[in-house]
Amino acid sequence: MKTLTGLSRFTADPARKGLTYGLVTNPSAITVDGRASWRAFEDAGLALGALFGPEHGVLGMAQDAVEVADSTYRGIPAYSLYGERTKPLPRQLKGLDAVVFDIQDVGCRYYTFIYTLAAVMEACAEGRVPLVVLDRPNPVGGLIVE
């Protein structure tokens, strides 16, 4: 049986086209064939207006507990959500039709990604920007969903 992640289902949905998305991601967010989430968006013709990176950054290159600077990746602004700022600023959400959160968590509660999600939820609520959280299987196994 093939497992379809939220990323696979989201990017295959033709109703998603014509909108501009912010994507909270890192290298753990890949398709079943190993493509990065931002690449899956591009391949599906979905417009990315901003990338947001949790601890370790969008590219996952930063050491843990080290602040990550904002940058640009493939012409797309890439904003850090780890360090001095932990949630998107209103100006960073401007022009986005929705923010998509796609990160494979490590299956334990003490890691920082769940707190990044909470901060993104708060910013999206404040800015009235829809947030879509893409589902992924728990890497530590089991079929229990909390």
Side-chain angles (χ1 to χ4, degrees):
M1 178 163 93
K2 183 178 179 181
T3 299
L4 289 178
T5 65
L7 176 61
S8 298
R9 295 176 60 90
F10 188 90
T11 57
D13 184 351
R16 304 293 183 184
K17 291 192 179 197
L19 301 174
T20 301
Y21 298 97
L23 178 61
V24 184
T25 192
N26 69 8
S28 72
I30 58 173
T31 62
V32 294
D33 61 352
R35 289 176 296 130
S37 58
W38 59 266
R39 172 75 71 190
F41 269 67
E42 284 184 350
D43 291 348
L46 303 179
L48 286 171
L51 296 169
F52 298 95
E55 183 177 12
H56 309 291
V58 169
L59 299 179
M61 304 290 284
Q63 179 64 35
D64 62 315
V66 173
E67 185 172 338
V68 179
D70 293 342
S71 62
T72 302
Y73 185 67
R74 298 176 61 89
I76 303 166
Y79 301 112
S80 173
L81 299 180
Y82 189 78
E84 185 177 312
R85 179 183 63 249
T86 57
K87 73 179 189 179
L89 298 172
R91 67 176 170 77
Q92 296 167 337
L93 297 175
K94 229 179 219 359
L96 300 179
D97 294 300
V99 173
V100 178
F101 187 96
D102 186 29
I103 292 178
Q104 173 70 62
D105 207 340
V106 296
C108 57
R109 292 191 178 132
Y110 67 84
Y111 210 63
T112 59
F113 296 155
I114 192 71
Y115 301 104
T116 299
L117 174 57
V120 170
M121 289 171 70
E122 186 177 281
C124 286
E126 290 167 355
R128 300 176 121 1
V129 176
L131 172 65
V132 179
V133 180
L134 301 184
D135 194 22
R136 291 186 168 272
N138 185 335
V140 295
L143 298 175
I144 298 171
V145 176
E146 294 185 32

